[in-house]
Amino acid sequence: MSGQMAQAFAHNFLGHSPRWYKACVIVFLILNALAFFTLGPVVAGWMLVLEFIFTLAMALKCYPLMPGGLLVLQAVALGMTTPKALYDELVHNFPVILLLMFMVAGIYFMKDLLLFLFSRLLLGVRSKAVLALMFCFLSAFLSAFLDALTVTAVIISAAVGFYAVYHRVASGNDPRQDSSVDEDHDLPSLHHQDLEQFRAFLRSLLMHGAVGTALGGVCTLVGEPQNLLIGHEMGWHFVDFFIKVAPVSLPVLVAGLVTCVALEKLRWFGYGTLLPDNVRAVLADYAEEDNRERTARQRAALIVQGIAALILIVALALHLAEVGLIGLTVIVLITAFTGITDEHRLGSAFKDAMPFTALLVVFFAVVAVIHDQHLFSPLIQWVLALPADQQPGMLFIANGLLSAISDNVFVATIYITEVKQAFVAGNMTQEHFETLAVAINTGTNLPSVATPNGQAAFLFLLTSAIAPLVRLSYGRMVWMAMPYTAVMGGLGWYAVTYWL
């Protein structure tokens, strides 16, 4: 009986994660305790940071909240930081938590409008290069004012919908009835080639859209969570942030859009596949029938969402309130005027945001350890000891490399806090502090597209329902992101070094 219970506990620990991963977490916890009592809290602190980055890099094996949370709980128990230090970090970064809680949920209620726009785009544009450009640009624009995760969710929803419609029709099923689209055994052989081509077509659009969220997300205060965090530390409002970052973000945006068109024209790195005519015909027939059956209430809801989107953009531009409160305003307006009054329907809007919000609290706990043990002070001092003109470029590279293998919000939190401490200590001017803040922000946003680990939107895409359907693997994402990484990272570094 005792053996069965031990097996049950072992199986339950971190669920379906691989055994080697579970063993790693247990070894981490044992080694941390030994290091703390024998080598001291600084060594144990560095071990904690590296282990936490490991959990972020292995996010596909297990969501980092659980293993990262265990590591943080141990750190608090050992005295490497305190609950009060963590609470102070949370209070200091409360605007970021508000953003994740309410803005992502607010955009959830705009999904119908966004899906409508992307659907019209997919079927209305014949040229693949123009379609890819518009997909990338629209994703960038929406991410600049909304939220990269939500925009990615909309693109995924549209792609899943289109894929399911064609797969069901090709399999002889009713496209409006739920049926499995995971298997191709019911698909006649004459449709297999069209399906493979359609998968490649969707893969390229999904990657263009995901990169677009990064291109637009770097531009504004609300584009990415770390932007708001950095803007909060600097005291920048929406317009201030846009102007400060523009010398880097706007040239990179243009270069990214040019790269998008070039990849489609040259058909490099898995891009350039066209939408098969048979697939287009099926999707067009479905969309036309959908339009005919749209009710007056559904059309009215789309109008309300459009008005709410305009209010959102104006409120953000004029900084009428904290970003999270503007998101709550959007929730109230859309739900009140579209008839959403059920508590369970409201709850669905918060499902995407809350896991990452909880993970952000763990981020801040690790940051509290870094503060209390002064772990990053020597590194920041080394960077600040360099000539002033070299510091922004070095920070960009350091942030980019670390963000590509871990998480850009975590990296940005560490670096902006350490640099601000140096500024408060009188080690730099206000102007130089602002330049370094821009370097940190762009460094965590641009080169991090190299891997799914660096961008939350990329990781969301990789773990979504559409990825296995269109055969979008980790390695394929890295390969397809490679040209964007080179262009965005290279030009970003040059702009930070010479144009700020």
Side-chain angles (χ1 to χ4, degrees):
M1 190 68 177
S2 60
Q4 288 181 334
M5 287 301 295
Q7 257 189 337
F9 277 114
H11 179 76
N12 287 343
F13 179 67
L14 299 183
H16 295 292
S17 302
R19 289 184 178 180
W20 65 263
Y21 184 86
K22 297 180 181 184
C24 283
V25 175
I26 293 172
V27 169
F28 290 161
L29 294 171
I30 295 172
L31 291 179
N32 289 348
L34 292 175
F36 179 82
F37 290 112
T38 58
L39 303 176
V42 173
V43 174
W46 271 112
M47 290 173 61
L48 170 69
V49 171
L50 295 175
E51 290 158 2
F52 185 62
I53 291 174
F54 171 82
T55 66
L56 294 173
M58 295 289 109
L60 295 180
K61 305 299 182 186
C62 179
Y63 192 65
L65 174 64
M66 285 65 73
L70 290 174
L71 293 171
V72 164
L73 286 174
Q74 183 190 48
V76 173
L78 291 174
M80 295 164 66
T81 189
T82 63
K84 184 180 184 307
L86 170 56
Y87 180 76
D88 290 341
E89 283 290 335
L90 296 177
V91 170
H92 185 65
N93 294 289
F94 188 59
V96 182
I97 295 174
L98 272 182
L99 164 73
L100 290 171
M101 287 173 59
F102 294 130
M103 183 60 80
V104 176
I107 307 308
Y108 173 89
F109 292 107
M110 290 186 187
K111 275 189 175 182
D112 290 340
L113 175 66
L114 297 175
L115 281 169
F116 177 80
L117 292 174
F118 277 107
S119 300
R120 287 289 177 278
L121 194 61
L122 185 62
L123 293 173
V125 179
R126 290 276 179 174
S127 168
K128 178 63 187 304
V130 174
L131 177 62
L133 177 63
M134 294 183 70
F135 236 77
C136 192
F137 177 78
L138 187 57
S139 298
F141 179 80
L142 291 173
S143 294
F145 289 99
L146 306 179
D147 171 78
L149 273 178
T150 306
V151 174
T152 305
V154 170
I155 297 172
I156 291 169
S157 298
V160 169
F162 285 125
Y163 182 89
V165 167
Y166 176 71
H167 196 282
R168 286 167 185 159
V169 170
S171 301
N173 299 319
D174 185 344
R176 299 183 186 280
Q177 296 294 325
D178 283 339
S179 60
S180 175
V181 294
D182 299 332
E183 301 292 340
D184 298 342
H185 55 263
D186 291 333
L187 205 68
S189 57
L190 61 93
H191 288 293
H192 277 272
Q193 185 176 351
D194 281 342
L195 183 61
E196 286 304 317
Q197 188 175 337
F198 187 35
R199 283 171 172 151
F201 173 84
L202 287 177
R203 276 198 304 267
S204 61
L205 285 187
L206 287 166
M207 286 301 295
H208 288 312
V211 171
T213 64
L215 290 170
V218 69
C219 295
T220 64
L221 189 67
V222 297
E224 295 280 357
Q226 70 266 27
N227 297 13
L228 186 62
L229 190 146
I230 292 171
H232 177 64
E233 292 286 355
M234 303 302 298
W236 293 340
H237 295 319
F238 190 88
V239 176
D240 301 325
F241 186 96
F242 177 81
I243 294 173
K244 297 291 185 183
V245 179
V248 182
S249 61
L250 295 187
V252 171
L253 173 61
V254 173
L257 295 176
V258 171
T259 303
C260 172
V261 175
L263 288 172
E264 287 297 329
K265 291 291 187 181
L266 297 171
R267 301 194 173 192
W268 289 353
F269 292 91
Y271 295 97
T273 305
L274 302 179
L275 178 63
D277 292 335
N278 292 336
V279 178
R280 180 183 292 278
V282 169
L283 297 181
D285 290 343
Y286 181 86
E288 186 178 344
E289 185 178 347
D290 210 36
N291 288 335
R292 286 197 306 268
E293 295 181 357
R294 184 172 286 115
T295 65
R297 286 188 62 183
Q298 289 171 329
R299 288 195 292 270
L302 288 177
I303 293 172
V304 169
Q305 291 172 31
I307 294 171
L310 292 175
I311 292 172
L312 171 66
I313 292 172
V314 172
L316 289 173
L318 299 179
H319 196 73
L320 298 181
E322 277 293 345
V323 176
L325 297 180
I326 295 173
L328 181 58
T329 302
V330 168
I331 294 174
V332 172
L333 290 175
I334 294 179
T335 54
F337 288 97
T338 57
I340 299 173
T341 57
D342 185 78
E343 181 182 356
H344 295 293
R345 290 188 67 188
L346 281 172
S348 299
F350 293 88
K351 286 182 179 178
D352 290 338
M354 293 314 295
F356 191 70
T357 305
L359 180 59
L360 197 65
V361 174
V362 177
F363 284 173
F364 292 138
V366 177
V367 172
V369 172
I370 291 171
H371 287 177
D372 289 353
Q373 304 303 326
H374 308 289
L375 300 183
F376 273 65
S377 297
L379 179 60
I380 296 297
Q381 290 168 5
W382 174 76
V383 172
L384 296 180
L386 295 171
D389 59 338
Q390 295 180 19
Q391 292 175 17
M394 285 303 300
L395 271 181
F396 182 91
I397 293 172
N399 279 270
L401 291 175
L402 197 53
S403 294
I405 61 170
S406 59
D407 183 273
N408 46 18
V409 179
F410 174 61
V411 176
T413 303
I414 293 171
Y415 275 92
I416 192 62
T417 308
E418 292 292 332
V419 170
K420 185 172 184 178
Q421 286 182 346
F423 168 71
V424 171
N427 296 332
M428 66 184 74
T429 64
Q430 174 71 32
E431 182 181 4
H432 190 59
F433 179 38
E434 292 182 352
T435 301
L436 295 185
V438 173
I440 293 169
N441 180 75
T442 53
T444 54
N445 272 291
L446 299 176
S448 57
V449 301
T451 71
N453 305 99
Q455 288 277 347
F458 276 49
L459 191 60
F460 187 34
L461 173 59
L462 182 63
T463 56
S464 69
I466 192 62
L469 298 180
V470 298
R471 311 300 189 255
L472 187 60
S473 63
Y474 188 102
R476 183 168 263 163
M477 283 190 75
V478 171
W479 172 251
M480 295 181 76
M482 197 175 295
Y484 280 113
T485 305
V487 171
M488 294 164 64
L491 182 58
W493 173 84
Y494 188 88
V496 162
T497 305
Y498 297 106
W499 293 346
L500 287 180

